[in-house]
Every structure is written in C-alpha cells, then in structure tokens.
PDB file of all heavy atoms in Angstrom:
ATOM      1  N   GLY G   1     -10.154  -9.752   4.064  1.00 67.00           N
ATOM      2  CA  GLY G   1     -11.277 -10.652   3.827  1.00 67.00           C
ATOM      3  C   GLY G   1     -12.191 -10.241   2.700  1.00 67.00           C
ATOM      4  O   GLY G   1     -13.260 -10.825   2.521  1.00 67.00           O
ATOM      5  N   ARG G   2     -11.788  -9.244   1.923  1.00 71.00           N
ATOM      6  CA  ARG G   2     -12.636  -8.796   0.821  1.00 71.00           C
ATOM      7  C   ARG G   2     -12.084  -9.254  -0.519  1.00 71.00           C
ATOM      8  O   ARG G   2     -10.994  -9.828  -0.612  1.00 71.00           O
ATOM      9  CB  ARG G   2     -12.748  -7.267   0.826  1.00 71.00           C
ATOM     10  CG  ARG G   2     -13.579  -6.711   1.971  1.00 71.00           C
ATOM     11  CD  ARG G   2     -13.946  -5.263   1.727  1.00 71.00           C
ATOM     12  NE  ARG G   2     -14.739  -5.096   0.514  1.00 71.00           N
ATOM     13  CZ  ARG G   2     -16.047  -5.363   0.439  1.00 71.00           C
ATOM     14  NH1 ARG G   2     -16.705  -5.786   1.495  1.00 71.00           N
ATOM     15  NH2 ARG G   2     -16.690  -5.193  -0.697  1.00 71.00           N
ATOM     16  N   VAL G   3     -12.851  -8.956  -1.563  1.00 80.00           N
ATOM     17  CA  VAL G   3     -12.400  -9.135  -2.937  1.00 80.00           C
ATOM     18  C   VAL G   3     -11.818  -7.803  -3.412  1.00 80.00           C
ATOM     19  O   VAL G   3     -12.363  -6.744  -3.106  1.00 80.00           O
ATOM     20  CB  VAL G   3     -13.584  -9.557  -3.830  1.00 80.00           C
ATOM     21  CG1 VAL G   3     -13.197  -9.554  -5.292  1.00 80.00           C
ATOM     22  CG2 VAL G   3     -14.109 -10.919  -3.409  1.00 80.00           C
ATOM     23  N   MET G   4     -10.690  -7.838  -4.131  1.00 89.00           N
ATOM     24  CA  MET G   4     -10.156  -6.608  -4.707  1.00 89.00           C
ATOM     25  C   MET G   4     -10.365  -6.606  -6.210  1.00 89.00           C
ATOM     26  O   MET G   4     -10.164  -7.633  -6.878  1.00 89.00           O
ATOM     27  CB  MET G   4      -8.664  -6.452  -4.415  1.00 89.00           C
ATOM     28  CG  MET G   4      -8.148  -5.058  -4.757  1.00 89.00           C
ATOM     29  SD  MET G   4      -6.365  -4.944  -5.052  1.00 89.00           S
ATOM     30  CE  MET G   4      -6.250  -5.550  -6.740  1.00 89.00           C
ATOM     31  N   PHE G   5     -10.792  -5.453  -6.732  1.00 94.00           N
ATOM     32  CA  PHE G   5     -10.985  -5.285  -8.158  1.00 94.00           C
ATOM     33  C   PHE G   5     -10.062  -4.186  -8.686  1.00 94.00           C
ATOM     34  O   PHE G   5      -9.873  -3.156  -8.029  1.00 94.00           O
ATOM     35  CB  PHE G   5     -12.428  -4.878  -8.473  1.00 94.00           C
ATOM     36  CG  PHE G   5     -13.456  -5.927  -8.151  1.00 94.00           C
ATOM     37  CD1 PHE G   5     -14.204  -5.856  -6.988  1.00 94.00           C
ATOM     38  CD2 PHE G   5     -13.685  -6.980  -9.021  1.00 94.00           C
ATOM     39  CE1 PHE G   5     -15.164  -6.807  -6.687  1.00 94.00           C
ATOM     40  CE2 PHE G   5     -14.645  -7.949  -8.738  1.00 94.00           C
ATOM     41  CZ  PHE G   5     -15.380  -7.856  -7.564  1.00 94.00           C
ATOM     42  N   ALA G   6      -9.530  -4.406  -9.867  1.00 96.00           N
ATOM     43  CA  ALA G   6      -8.903  -3.337 -10.656  1.00 96.00           C
ATOM     44  C   ALA G   6      -9.647  -3.334 -11.978  1.00 96.00           C
ATOM     45  O   ALA G   6      -9.630  -4.341 -12.710  1.00 96.00           O
ATOM     46  CB  ALA G   6      -7.413  -3.595 -10.864  1.00 96.00           C
ATOM     47  N   ILE G   7     -10.336  -2.244 -12.278  1.00 97.00           N
ATOM     48  CA  ILE G   7     -11.229  -2.242 -13.435  1.00 97.00           C
ATOM     49  C   ILE G   7     -11.012  -1.006 -14.309  1.00 97.00           C
ATOM     50  O   ILE G   7     -10.690   0.063 -13.815  1.00 97.00           O
ATOM     51  CB  ILE G   7     -12.714  -2.314 -12.997  1.00 97.00           C
ATOM     52  CG1 ILE G   7     -13.115  -1.072 -12.200  1.00 97.00           C
ATOM     53  CG2 ILE G   7     -12.977  -3.566 -12.188  1.00 97.00           C
ATOM     54  CD1 ILE G   7     -14.586  -1.042 -11.853  1.00 97.00           C
ATOM     55  N   PRO G   8     -11.179  -1.172 -15.620  1.00 97.00           N
ATOM     56  CA  PRO G   8     -11.176   0.009 -16.497  1.00 97.00           C
ATOM     57  C   PRO G   8     -12.509   0.740 -16.369  1.00 97.00           C
ATOM     58  O   PRO G   8     -13.569   0.113 -16.409  1.00 97.00           O
ATOM     59  CB  PRO G   8     -11.000  -0.607 -17.898  1.00 97.00           C
ATOM     60  CG  PRO G   8     -11.569  -1.996 -17.785  1.00 97.00           C
ATOM     61  CD  PRO G   8     -11.352  -2.423 -16.365  1.00 97.00           C
ATOM     62  N   TRP G   9     -12.443   2.059 -16.192  1.00 97.00           N
ATOM     63  CA  TRP G   9     -13.669   2.842 -16.012  1.00 97.00           C
ATOM     64  C   TRP G   9     -13.455   4.245 -16.544  1.00 97.00           C
ATOM     65  O   TRP G   9     -12.564   4.958 -16.086  1.00 97.00           O
ATOM     66  CB  TRP G   9     -14.065   2.879 -14.529  1.00 97.00           C
ATOM     67  CG  TRP G   9     -15.394   3.505 -14.245  1.00 97.00           C
ATOM     68  CD1 TRP G   9     -16.613   3.063 -14.666  1.00 97.00           C
ATOM     69  CD2 TRP G   9     -15.648   4.691 -13.476  1.00 97.00           C
ATOM     70  NE1 TRP G   9     -17.611   3.892 -14.203  1.00 97.00           N
ATOM     71  CE2 TRP G   9     -17.047   4.896 -13.465  1.00 97.00           C
ATOM     72  CE3 TRP G   9     -14.826   5.590 -12.789  1.00 97.00           C
ATOM     73  CZ2 TRP G   9     -17.646   5.968 -12.810  1.00 97.00           C
ATOM     74  CZ3 TRP G   9     -15.416   6.653 -12.130  1.00 97.00           C
ATOM     75  CH2 TRP G   9     -16.812   6.845 -12.140  1.00 97.00           C
ATOM     76  N   HIS G  10     -14.246   4.638 -17.531  1.00 97.00           N
ATOM     77  CA  HIS G  10     -14.151   5.966 -18.133  1.00 97.00           C
ATOM     78  C   HIS G  10     -12.705   6.328 -18.499  1.00 97.00           C
ATOM     79  O   HIS G  10     -12.208   7.406 -18.175  1.00 97.00           O
ATOM     80  CB  HIS G  10     -14.735   7.023 -17.201  1.00 97.00           C
ATOM     81  CG  HIS G  10     -16.232   6.981 -17.072  1.00 97.00           C
ATOM     82  ND1 HIS G  10     -17.069   6.734 -18.140  1.00 97.00           N
ATOM     83  CD2 HIS G  10     -17.042   7.146 -15.990  1.00 97.00           C
ATOM     84  CE1 HIS G  10     -18.329   6.756 -17.732  1.00 97.00           C
ATOM     85  NE2 HIS G  10     -18.337   6.993 -16.433  1.00 97.00           N
ATOM     86  N   GLN G  11     -12.030   5.402 -19.181  1.00 96.00           N
ATOM     87  CA  GLN G  11     -10.656   5.614 -19.653  1.00 96.00           C
ATOM     88  C   GLN G  11      -9.669   5.830 -18.511  1.00 96.00           C
ATOM     89  O   GLN G  11      -8.617   6.455 -18.679  1.00 96.00           O
ATOM     90  CB  GLN G  11     -10.601   6.790 -20.634  1.00 96.00           C
ATOM     91  CG  GLN G  11     -11.498   6.644 -21.846  1.00 96.00           C
ATOM     92  CD  GLN G  11     -11.160   5.394 -22.665  1.00 96.00           C
ATOM     93  OE1 GLN G  11     -10.009   5.164 -23.006  1.00 96.00           O
ATOM     94  NE2 GLN G  11     -12.177   4.576 -22.964  1.00 96.00           N
ATOM     95  N   HIS G  12      -9.985   5.320 -17.336  1.00 98.00           N
ATOM     96  CA  HIS G  12      -9.096   5.355 -16.186  1.00 98.00           C
ATOM     97  C   HIS G  12      -9.055   3.965 -15.558  1.00 98.00           C
ATOM     98  O   HIS G  12      -9.751   3.040 -16.010  1.00 98.00           O
ATOM     99  CB  HIS G  12      -9.571   6.389 -15.153  1.00 98.00           C
ATOM    100  CG  HIS G  12      -9.386   7.804 -15.586  1.00 98.00           C
ATOM    101  ND1 HIS G  12     -10.124   8.375 -16.605  1.00 98.00           N
ATOM    102  CD2 HIS G  12      -8.533   8.771 -15.152  1.00 98.00           C
ATOM    103  CE1 HIS G  12      -9.739   9.629 -16.776  1.00 98.00           C
ATOM    104  NE2 HIS G  12      -8.775   9.895 -15.908  1.00 98.00           N
ATOM    105  N   THR G  13      -8.252   3.790 -14.523  1.00 98.00           N
ATOM    106  CA  THR G  13      -8.158   2.525 -13.794  1.00 98.00           C
ATOM    107  C   THR G  13      -8.635   2.742 -12.364  1.00 98.00           C
ATOM    108  O   THR G  13      -8.100   3.596 -11.648  1.00 98.00           O
ATOM    109  CB  THR G  13      -6.707   2.015 -13.777  1.00 98.00           C
ATOM    110  OG1 THR G  13      -6.242   1.847 -15.124  1.00 98.00           O
ATOM    111  CG2 THR G  13      -6.613   0.689 -13.035  1.00 98.00           C
ATOM    112  N   LEU G  14      -9.638   1.979 -11.963  1.00 98.00           N
ATOM    113  CA  LEU G  14     -10.238   2.081 -10.634  1.00 98.00           C
ATOM    114  C   LEU G  14      -9.857   0.849  -9.827  1.00 98.00           C
ATOM    115  O   LEU G  14     -10.033  -0.279 -10.295  1.00 98.00           O
ATOM    116  CB  LEU G  14     -11.756   2.179 -10.769  1.00 98.00           C
ATOM    117  CG  LEU G  14     -12.604   2.261  -9.493  1.00 98.00           C
ATOM    118  CD1 LEU G  14     -12.451   3.634  -8.854  1.00 98.00           C
ATOM    119  CD2 LEU G  14     -14.071   2.002  -9.820  1.00 98.00           C
ATOM    120  N   VAL G  15      -9.304   1.049  -8.625  1.00 97.00           N
ATOM    121  CA  VAL G  15      -8.864  -0.067  -7.790  1.00 97.00           C
ATOM    122  C   VAL G  15      -9.492   0.052  -6.408  1.00 97.00           C
ATOM    123  O   VAL G  15      -9.461   1.108  -5.778  1.00 97.00           O
ATOM    124  CB  VAL G  15      -7.325  -0.093  -7.657  1.00 97.00           C
ATOM    125  CG1 VAL G  15      -6.885  -1.320  -6.848  1.00 97.00           C
ATOM    126  CG2 VAL G  15      -6.652  -0.111  -9.028  1.00 97.00           C
ATOM    127  N   GLY G  16     -10.067  -1.023  -5.909  1.00 91.00           N
ATOM    128  CA  GLY G  16     -10.654  -1.034  -4.569  1.00 91.00           C
ATOM    129  C   GLY G  16     -11.085  -2.450  -4.222  1.00 91.00           C
ATOM    130  O   GLY G  16     -11.021  -3.350  -5.060  1.00 91.00           O
ATOM    131  N   THR G  17     -11.472  -2.701  -2.991  1.00 88.00           N
ATOM    132  CA  THR G  17     -11.824  -1.718  -2.011  1.00 88.00           C
ATOM    133  C   THR G  17     -11.406  -2.231  -0.647  1.00 88.00           C
ATOM    134  O   THR G  17     -10.862  -3.347  -0.534  1.00 88.00           O
ATOM    135  CB  THR G  17     -13.335  -1.417  -2.035  1.00 88.00           C
ATOM    136  OG1 THR G  17     -13.699  -0.454  -1.070  1.00 88.00           O
ATOM    137  CG2 THR G  17     -14.140  -2.679  -1.811  1.00 88.00           C
ATOM    138  N   THR G  18     -11.685  -1.469   0.399  1.00 90.00           N
ATOM    139  CA  THR G  18     -11.358  -1.850   1.772  1.00 90.00           C
ATOM    140  C   THR G  18     -12.640  -2.130   2.542  1.00 90.00           C
ATOM    141  O   THR G  18     -13.747  -1.943   2.031  1.00 90.00           O
ATOM    142  CB  THR G  18     -10.583  -0.719   2.465  1.00 90.00           C
ATOM    143  OG1 THR G  18     -11.344   0.494   2.380  1.00 90.00           O
ATOM    144  CG2 THR G  18      -9.227  -0.518   1.819  1.00 90.00           C
ATOM    145  N   ASP G  19     -12.491  -2.549   3.786  1.00 89.00           N
ATOM    146  CA  ASP G  19     -13.656  -2.802   4.637  1.00 89.00           C
ATOM    147  C   ASP G  19     -13.274  -2.450   6.064  1.00 89.00           C
ATOM    148  O   ASP G  19     -12.632  -3.228   6.764  1.00 89.00           O
ATOM    149  CB  ASP G  19     -14.091  -4.265   4.541  1.00 89.00           C
ATOM    150  CG  ASP G  19     -15.488  -4.487   5.104  1.00 89.00           C
ATOM    151  OD1 ASP G  19     -15.731  -4.069   6.245  1.00 89.00           O
ATOM    152  OD2 ASP G  19     -16.327  -5.050   4.387  1.00 89.00           O
ATOM    153  N   VAL G  20     -13.651  -1.243   6.490  1.00 91.00           N
ATOM    154  CA  VAL G  20     -13.264  -0.733   7.806  1.00 91.00           C
ATOM    155  C   VAL G  20     -14.521  -0.349   8.581  1.00 91.00           C
ATOM    156  O   VAL G  20     -15.250   0.559   8.174  1.00 91.00           O
ATOM    157  CB  VAL G  20     -12.340   0.495   7.682  1.00 91.00           C
ATOM    158  CG1 VAL G  20     -11.968   1.030   9.060  1.00 91.00           C
ATOM    159  CG2 VAL G  20     -11.086   0.139   6.885  1.00 91.00           C
ATOM    160  N   PRO G  21     -14.812  -1.018   9.695  1.00 92.00           N
ATOM    161  CA  PRO G  21     -15.984  -0.641  10.507  1.00 92.00           C
ATOM    162  C   PRO G  21     -15.871   0.797  11.010  1.00 92.00           C
ATOM    163  O   PRO G  21     -14.781   1.273  11.341  1.00 92.00           O
ATOM    164  CB  PRO G  21     -15.938  -1.633  11.676  1.00 92.00           C
ATOM    165  CG  PRO G  21     -15.100  -2.776  11.188  1.00 92.00           C
ATOM    166  CD  PRO G  21     -14.099  -2.180  10.259  1.00 92.00           C
ATOM    167  N   LEU G  22     -17.013   1.502  11.046  1.00 93.00           N
ATOM    168  CA  LEU G  22     -17.045   2.894  11.493  1.00 93.00           C
ATOM    169  C   LEU G  22     -17.893   3.039  12.750  1.00 93.00           C
ATOM    170  O   LEU G  22     -18.852   2.295  12.945  1.00 93.00           O
ATOM    171  CB  LEU G  22     -17.635   3.791  10.401  1.00 93.00           C
ATOM    172  CG  LEU G  22     -16.871   3.908   9.079  1.00 93.00           C
ATOM    173  CD1 LEU G  22     -17.655   4.803   8.116  1.00 93.00           C
ATOM    174  CD2 LEU G  22     -15.478   4.457   9.285  1.00 93.00           C
ATOM    175  N   ASN G  23     -17.553   4.021  13.552  1.00 90.00           N
ATOM    176  CA  ASN G  23     -18.368   4.353  14.717  1.00 90.00           C
ATOM    177  C   ASN G  23     -19.366   5.463  14.415  1.00 90.00           C
ATOM    178  O   ASN G  23     -20.470   5.498  14.970  1.00 90.00           O
ATOM    179  CB  ASN G  23     -17.471   4.770  15.885  1.00 90.00           C
ATOM    180  CG  ASN G  23     -16.631   3.621  16.398  1.00 90.00           C
ATOM    181  OD1 ASN G  23     -17.108   2.479  16.474  1.00 90.00           O
ATOM    182  ND2 ASN G  23     -15.372   3.884  16.722  1.00 90.00           N
ATOM    183  N   ASP G  24     -18.964   6.400  13.558  1.00 91.00           N
ATOM    184  CA  ASP G  24     -19.887   7.459  13.150  1.00 91.00           C
ATOM    185  C   ASP G  24     -20.018   7.439  11.638  1.00 91.00           C
ATOM    186  O   ASP G  24     -19.300   6.717  10.940  1.00 91.00           O
ATOM    187  CB  ASP G  24     -19.410   8.835  13.643  1.00 91.00           C
ATOM    188  CG  ASP G  24     -18.013   9.177  13.116  1.00 91.00           C
ATOM    189  OD1 ASP G  24     -17.374   8.295  12.510  1.00 91.00           O
ATOM    190  OD2 ASP G  24     -17.572  10.324  13.300  1.00 91.00           O
ATOM    191  N   ILE G  25     -20.964   8.249  11.114  1.00 93.00           N
ATOM    192  CA  ILE G  25     -21.282   8.189   9.686  1.00 93.00           C
ATOM    193  C   ILE G  25     -21.234   9.610   9.111  1.00 93.00           C
ATOM    194  O   ILE G  25     -22.267  10.294   9.055  1.00 93.00           O
ATOM    195  CB  ILE G  25     -22.667   7.546   9.455  1.00 93.00           C
ATOM    196  CG1 ILE G  25     -22.769   6.223  10.228  1.00 93.00           C
ATOM    197  CG2 ILE G  25     -22.899   7.300   7.970  1.00 93.00           C
ATOM    198  CD1 ILE G  25     -24.132   5.565  10.143  1.00 93.00           C
ATOM    199  N   PRO G  26     -20.086  10.065   8.661  1.00 94.00           N
ATOM    200  CA  PRO G  26     -19.995  11.410   8.088  1.00 94.00           C
ATOM    201  C   PRO G  26     -20.649  11.467   6.713  1.00 94.00           C
ATOM    202  O   PRO G  26     -20.707  10.458   5.999  1.00 94.00           O
ATOM    203  CB  PRO G  26     -18.492  11.650   7.990  1.00 94.00           C
ATOM    204  CG  PRO G  26     -17.912  10.277   7.830  1.00 94.00           C
ATOM    205  CD  PRO G  26     -18.789   9.367   8.648  1.00 94.00           C
ATOM    206  N   ILE G  27     -21.145  12.641   6.335  1.00 93.00           N
ATOM    207  CA  ILE G  27     -21.748  12.789   5.006  1.00 93.00           C
ATOM    208  C   ILE G  27     -20.670  12.784   3.929  1.00 93.00           C
ATOM    209  O   ILE G  27     -20.916  12.405   2.795  1.00 93.00           O
ATOM    210  CB  ILE G  27     -22.609  14.084   4.924  1.00 93.00           C
ATOM    211  CG1 ILE G  27     -23.387  14.108   3.604  1.00 93.00           C
ATOM    212  CG2 ILE G  27     -21.763  15.329   5.079  1.00 93.00           C
ATOM    213  CD1 ILE G  27     -24.371  12.987   3.404  1.00 93.00           C
ATOM    214  N   GLU G  28     -19.442  13.189   4.290  1.00 95.00           N
ATOM    215  CA  GLU G  28     -18.330  13.191   3.335  1.00 95.00           C
ATOM    216  C   GLU G  28     -17.199  12.351   3.927  1.00 95.00           C
ATOM    217  O   GLU G  28     -16.253  12.866   4.510  1.00 95.00           O
ATOM    218  CB  GLU G  28     -17.850  14.623   3.066  1.00 95.00           C
ATOM    219  CG  GLU G  28     -16.866  14.759   1.909  1.00 95.00           C
ATOM    220  CD  GLU G  28     -17.464  14.391   0.559  1.00 95.00           C
ATOM    221  OE1 GLU G  28     -18.396  15.072   0.101  1.00 95.00           O
ATOM    222  OE2 GLU G  28     -16.979  13.406  -0.033  1.00 95.00           O
ATOM    223  N   PRO G  29     -17.283  11.008   3.806  1.00 96.00           N
ATOM    224  CA  PRO G  29     -16.251  10.146   4.381  1.00 96.00           C
ATOM    225  C   PRO G  29     -14.898  10.368   3.716  1.00 96.00           C
ATOM    226  O   PRO G  29     -14.825  10.735   2.536  1.00 96.00           O
ATOM    227  CB  PRO G  29     -16.776   8.729   4.117  1.00 96.00           C
ATOM    228  CG  PRO G  29     -17.724   8.875   2.968  1.00 96.00           C
ATOM    229  CD  PRO G  29     -18.319  10.243   3.092  1.00 96.00           C
ATOM    230  N   VAL G  30     -13.838  10.142   4.462  1.00 96.00           N
ATOM    231  CA  VAL G  30     -12.485  10.412   3.986  1.00 96.00           C
ATOM    232  C   VAL G  30     -11.638   9.149   4.126  1.00 96.00           C
ATOM    233  O   VAL G  30     -11.661   8.485   5.179  1.00 96.00           O
ATOM    234  CB  VAL G  30     -11.844  11.570   4.790  1.00 96.00           C
ATOM    235  CG1 VAL G  30     -10.409  11.805   4.349  1.00 96.00           C
ATOM    236  CG2 VAL G  30     -12.669  12.847   4.627  1.00 96.00           C
ATOM    237  N   ALA G  31     -10.892   8.832   3.090  1.00 97.00           N
ATOM    238  CA  ALA G  31     -10.005   7.674   3.121  1.00 97.00           C
ATOM    239  C   ALA G  31      -8.896   7.886   4.148  1.00 97.00           C
ATOM    240  O   ALA G  31      -8.340   8.981   4.265  1.00 97.00           O
ATOM    241  CB  ALA G  31      -9.392   7.445   1.749  1.00 97.00           C
ATOM    242  N   THR G  32      -8.572   6.845   4.891  1.00 96.00           N
ATOM    243  CA  THR G  32      -7.460   6.924   5.828  1.00 96.00           C
ATOM    244  C   THR G  32      -6.150   6.589   5.111  1.00 96.00           C
ATOM    245  O   THR G  32      -6.150   5.939   4.054  1.00 96.00           O
ATOM    246  CB  THR G  32      -7.651   5.952   6.999  1.00 96.00           C
ATOM    247  OG1 THR G  32      -7.592   4.599   6.495  1.00 96.00           O
ATOM    248  CG2 THR G  32      -8.989   6.179   7.687  1.00 96.00           C
ATOM    249  N   GLU G  33      -5.041   7.007   5.700  1.00 96.00           N
ATOM    250  CA  GLU G  33      -3.739   6.691   5.124  1.00 96.00           C
ATOM    251  C   GLU G  33      -3.523   5.185   5.097  1.00 96.00           C
ATOM    252  O   GLU G  33      -2.923   4.650   4.151  1.00 96.00           O
ATOM    253  CB  GLU G  33      -2.625   7.383   5.915  1.00 96.00           C
ATOM    254  CG  GLU G  33      -2.674   8.904   5.874  1.00 96.00           C
ATOM    255  CD  GLU G  33      -2.561   9.462   4.463  1.00 96.00           C
ATOM    256  OE1 GLU G  33      -1.963   8.789   3.588  1.00 96.00           O
ATOM    257  OE2 GLU G  33      -3.077  10.568   4.227  1.00 96.00           O
ATOM    258  N   GLU G  34      -4.017   4.476   6.116  1.00 95.00           N
ATOM    259  CA  GLU G  34      -3.864   3.023   6.160  1.00 95.00           C
ATOM    260  C   GLU G  34      -4.610   2.357   4.999  1.00 95.00           C
ATOM    261  O   GLU G  34      -4.101   1.406   4.393  1.00 95.00           O
ATOM    262  CB  GLU G  34      -4.393   2.481   7.493  1.00 95.00           C
ATOM    263  CG  GLU G  34      -3.546   2.845   8.713  1.00 95.00           C
ATOM    264  CD  GLU G  34      -3.768   4.284   9.187  1.00 95.00           C
ATOM    265  OE1 GLU G  34      -4.753   4.919   8.717  1.00 95.00           O
ATOM    266  OE2 GLU G  34      -2.964   4.765  10.001  1.00 95.00           O
ATOM    267  N   GLU G  35      -5.808   2.854   4.699  1.00 95.00           N
ATOM    268  CA  GLU G  35      -6.566   2.288   3.576  1.00 95.00           C
ATOM    269  C   GLU G  35      -5.852   2.533   2.246  1.00 95.00           C
ATOM    270  O   GLU G  35      -5.795   1.650   1.384  1.00 95.00           O
ATOM    271  CB  GLU G  35      -7.968   2.902   3.540  1.00 95.00           C
ATOM    272  CG  GLU G  35      -8.895   2.429   4.643  1.00 95.00           C
ATOM    273  CD  GLU G  35     -10.249   3.108   4.565  1.00 95.00           C
ATOM    274  OE1 GLU G  35     -10.324   4.332   4.825  1.00 95.00           O
ATOM    275  OE2 GLU G  35     -11.226   2.419   4.236  1.00 95.00           O
ATOM    276  N   ILE G  36      -5.343   3.739   2.068  1.00 97.00           N
ATOM    277  CA  ILE G  36      -4.632   4.064   0.834  1.00 97.00           C
ATOM    278  C   ILE G  36      -3.410   3.162   0.668  1.00 97.00           C
ATOM    279  O   ILE G  36      -3.184   2.579  -0.409  1.00 97.00           O
ATOM    280  CB  ILE G  36      -4.217   5.548   0.833  1.00 97.00           C
ATOM    281  CG1 ILE G  36      -5.465   6.444   0.766  1.00 97.00           C
ATOM    282  CG2 ILE G  36      -3.275   5.856  -0.330  1.00 97.00           C
ATOM    283  CD1 ILE G  36      -5.193   7.912   1.016  1.00 97.00           C
ATOM    284  N   ASP G  37      -2.636   3.006   1.735  1.00 95.00           N
ATOM    285  CA  ASP G  37      -1.451   2.148   1.675  1.00 95.00           C
ATOM    286  C   ASP G  37      -1.840   0.697   1.396  1.00 95.00           C
ATOM    287  O   ASP G  37      -1.136  -0.017   0.664  1.00 95.00           O
ATOM    288  CB  ASP G  37      -0.675   2.235   2.987  1.00 95.00           C
ATOM    289  CG  ASP G  37       0.006   3.579   3.180  1.00 95.00           C
ATOM    290  OD1 ASP G  37       0.185   4.303   2.172  1.00 95.00           O
ATOM    291  OD2 ASP G  37       0.341   3.917   4.340  1.00 95.00           O
TER     292      ASP G  37
END
C-alpha cells in the first residue's frame, strides 16, 4: 500500500520503502529479511 521510489543519491541508487507496524521502538532499528526481499 505504499509508494516505492528508486532515486539517484550521492552517486548511488537508493530504493525504498516498506511499511511494517512495530510493537517496540529500538534506537537502532534493523531491516528484516522479509523487508529486504
């Protein structure tokens, strides 16, 4: 249900994003394998 972007950024290619509800809020969130896939 989101919009996906692939954008040029600092001479690289940035692609995102996902939308996954969370139960807790870590200071250093980590991508899940499902999100990466």
Side-chain angles (χ1 to χ4, degrees):
R2 289 195 61 79
V3 172
M4 192 202 80
F5 294 100
I7 64 175
W9 187 63
H10 289 321
Q11 302 301 310
H12 289 69
T13 302
L14 179 73
V15 183
T17 180
T18 55
D19 195 308
V20 179
L22 296 178
N23 293 321
D24 58 352
I25 310 176
I27 188 62
E28 190 64 64
V30 177
T32 66
E33 296 300 333
E34 290 78 13
E35 288 178 291
I36 293 169
D37 290 341

